[in-house]
Amino acid sequence: SAMADLMSRHEPNICMPHVAAIVRSSHPTISRDALAMIRRHKYRPAMRTVLDIATDAQTASDKICNIVDIVGEIGDASAQAVLLGLLNHEFLMVRRRAAVALGRIGGAGAIPQLQQCASESGSNRRFRELCLRAIDKIQKRNGGGPGQQVAEAS
């Protein structure tokens, strides 16, 4: 595909504006295919671009969900601040996917906000469970057990 060719033959600073335009496409199939290509190639240079798109108020929630999944799969820990912000997104599916992604890539610094989300009695039960699961995964990855506070790595 043209997107794969673009990503493989050009420096990221040359192809990122084109990748961004394709991902922002209002045509769902084009955007979805571009995101699939980023996922398949684990194309890290696109992370900042797709995170910017995810935080754009004009971006559809299904596209945000797709981006969050990709970020969690590729494992870009620099995305933590954006994912933490998405825990407060208006759409439940975005909040749930952000919690799952934080479980995969989040650091100890994500735990306080995940704990807050998990303890909000008015929020969705499944979302609270996903936040608790994310906390557990982060603690295990950082050498702490359930219920232990893990020191932030410096």
Side-chain angles (χ1 to χ4, degrees):
S1 87
M3 176 100 167
D5 185 57
L6 181 68
M7 291 181 344
S8 66
R9 291 182 185 233
H10 299 286
E11 292 295 317
N13 61 332
I14 294 170
C15 72
M16 278 298 86
H18 302 289
V19 170
I22 296 167
V23 172
R24 287 184 191 277
S25 170
S26 60
H27 194 285
T29 305
I30 292 172
S31 178
R32 193 171 37 250
D33 288 352
L35 288 169
M37 186 75 60
I38 291 167
R39 173 183 266 151
R40 192 167 33 256
H41 292 278
K42 296 190 181 315
Y43 192 62
R44 285 184 185 275
M47 289 302 96
R48 176 55 36 215
T49 299
V50 297
L51 288 168
D52 288 346
I53 293 169
T55 56
D56 183 337
Q58 303 300 313
T59 304
S61 60
D62 60 329
K63 189 180 292 187
I64 297 171
C65 287
N66 198 354
I67 289 170
V68 168
D69 291 346
I70 291 167
V71 170
E73 286 176 29
I74 292 177
D76 193 322
S78 69
Q80 180 168 303
V82 171
L83 294 172
L84 287 169
L86 292 174
L87 289 175
N88 299 311
H89 195 274
E90 65 178 310
F91 289 104
L92 176 61
M93 285 309 301
V94 172
R95 293 193 303 270
R96 286 180 175 177
R97 297 250 174 97
V100 170
L102 283 164
R104 289 181 177 155
I105 66 171
I111 292 175
Q113 192 165 342
L114 284 163
Q115 287 174 326
Q116 182 181 347
C117 291
S119 66
E120 291 173 357
S121 60
S123 67
N124 176 273
R125 181 180 56 82
R126 179 77 177 127
F127 173 61
R128 292 192 316 266
E129 290 169 0
L130 290 170
C131 289
L132 290 172
R133 188 175 301 155
I135 292 165
D136 188 50
K137 286 181 172 187
I138 292 168
Q139 288 175 330
K140 285 179 179 165
R141 198 170 43 252
N142 287 282
Q148 287 182 289
Q149 286 295 331
V150 179
E152 181 78 60
S154 51

